[in-house]
Amino acid sequence: GELVRVLRRAAMPIQAWSICIQGDLLAAAGSDRTIHVWNWQRGESLRNLSMPGQVDTVAFSPDGRLLAGAGEGSEVHIWDNRTGDLLHKRRVAAVRTLALAFDAAGETLATGGEDNRIQLWTVADMSLRGVLAGHGNWILSLVFSPNGTQLATSSADQTARLWDTKNSKLLRVFAGHGGWVRTVAYTPDGLGLVTGSDDHTIRLWDVRTGELQHSLQGTMRWVDLIQFSPDGRMVMSAGIG
């Protein structure tokens, strides 16, 4: 419970943030159209990366080598996080992008947003390799399975869904929340999926069967973030109270 570090930036609301354990990196962004990157252990500001509009989502590749950002407008930007060089600028949607996720190898990037679909991109050349369609409202959260073969998505349509990333096939729909499903996360062993919603609940699902295993009632108006401890025994949630 001890405060370790305070990182300061421009006095703008933070819309998006991402942590990469490799290199002790933290990125945060918002309406000032800038992604701020720190070494959070040292409290050192590393660089500021400019975007054309408000930034709604940022994501590190698992090895910390790449940083992606997107939001207002139709483009995703990918930088070399070691040098700050812009590697790719790609139009990915006709409207706002709200969620990004790299696979475990850092070779595939998933994007989703206000057009209700998910796109899978080959990072090396940002060529489109798959489109996942089926959600009935905005895509709010994306996460690859630990082995990279599946993608879990959550949406304002009050569901989470599980997809096969090789053939873009829908595997399972997790329904039952009574509000937007704002966040989704895998358990460390990859066998469970946890969702957080505007209905004040956090729900644990069996990935293999789609069955609801547990439902935790919270006091927050909505749940924006879920994070597991490495051993999977504890789960942390955060949101708007």
Side-chain angles (χ1 to χ4, degrees):
E2 180 182 354
L3 177 65
V4 175
R5 191 85 59 204
V6 176
L7 304 174
R8 300 192 182 278
R9 58 183 288 277
M12 296 282 185
I14 293 175
Q15 300 292 122
W17 62 277
S18 180
I19 288 180
C20 181
I21 301 302
Q22 298 292 332
D24 299 330
L25 301 171
L26 183 147
S31 56
D32 64 351
R33 304 183 178 188
T34 303
I35 301 174
H36 304 262
V37 183
W38 292 273
N39 179 298
W40 61 267
Q41 284 279 25
R42 300 196 301 265
E44 175 187 358
S45 176
L46 301 178
R47 62 184 55 88
N48 297 322
L49 305 170
S50 297
M51 290 282 289
Q54 175 176 301
V55 184
D56 292 306
T57 178
V58 293
F60 286 106
S61 61
D63 62 4
R65 186 176 64 85
L66 302 175
L67 175 63
E72 190 176 49
S74 58
E75 294 177 340
V76 60
H77 293 220
I78 300 178
W79 292 269
D80 184 320
N81 198 46
R82 299 165 298 186
T83 64
D85 293 338
L86 181 64
L87 302 178
H88 301 289
K89 183 171 66 173
R90 183 69 156 84
R91 181 182 174 88
V92 300
V95 289
R96 188 185 298 261
T97 299
L98 301 174
L100 298 169
F102 285 96
D103 71 348
E107 297 174 353
T108 300
L109 178 71
T111 65
E114 292 183 357
D115 61 359
N116 306 349
R117 62 180 183 162
I118 302 100
Q119 295 171 294
L120 302 176
W121 306 87
T122 299
V123 172
D125 59 3
M126 283 303 287
S127 59
L128 183 64
R129 54 167 289 236
V131 177
L132 312 178
H135 276 295
N137 208 327
W138 297 354
I139 310 302
L140 302 177
S141 181
L142 306 167
V143 61
F144 281 92
S145 61
N147 63 11
T149 63
Q150 298 175 345
L151 180 74
T153 63
S154 72
S155 169
D157 68 4
Q158 303 186 13
T159 72
R161 299 182 182 228
L162 187 67
W163 311 82
D164 184 315
T165 58
K166 184 177 181 179
N167 58 25
S168 301
K169 179 183 177 182
L170 176 64
L171 300 176
R172 201 154 284 113
V173 178
F174 303 92
H177 278 293
W180 288 16
V181 184
R182 292 184 178 267
T183 185
V184 60
Y186 272 94
T187 57
D189 61 11
L191 300 179
L193 202 64
V194 177
T195 54
S197 171
D198 286 6
D199 65 5
H200 318 294
T201 67
I202 297 169
R203 301 190 180 201
L204 174 64
W205 311 84
D206 188 310
V207 168
R208 295 162 296 186
T209 66
E211 293 181 357
L212 178 64
Q213 295 183 317
H214 299 287
S215 181
L216 305 175
Q217 184 72 36
T219 58
M220 292 177 287
R221 282 191 294 165
W222 63 69
V223 181
D224 272 325
L225 171 70
I226 294 172
Q227 184 68 51
F228 278 93
S229 61
D231 62 7
R233 297 179 62 186
M234 293 187 294
V235 60
M236 178 194 76
S237 65
I240 303 298

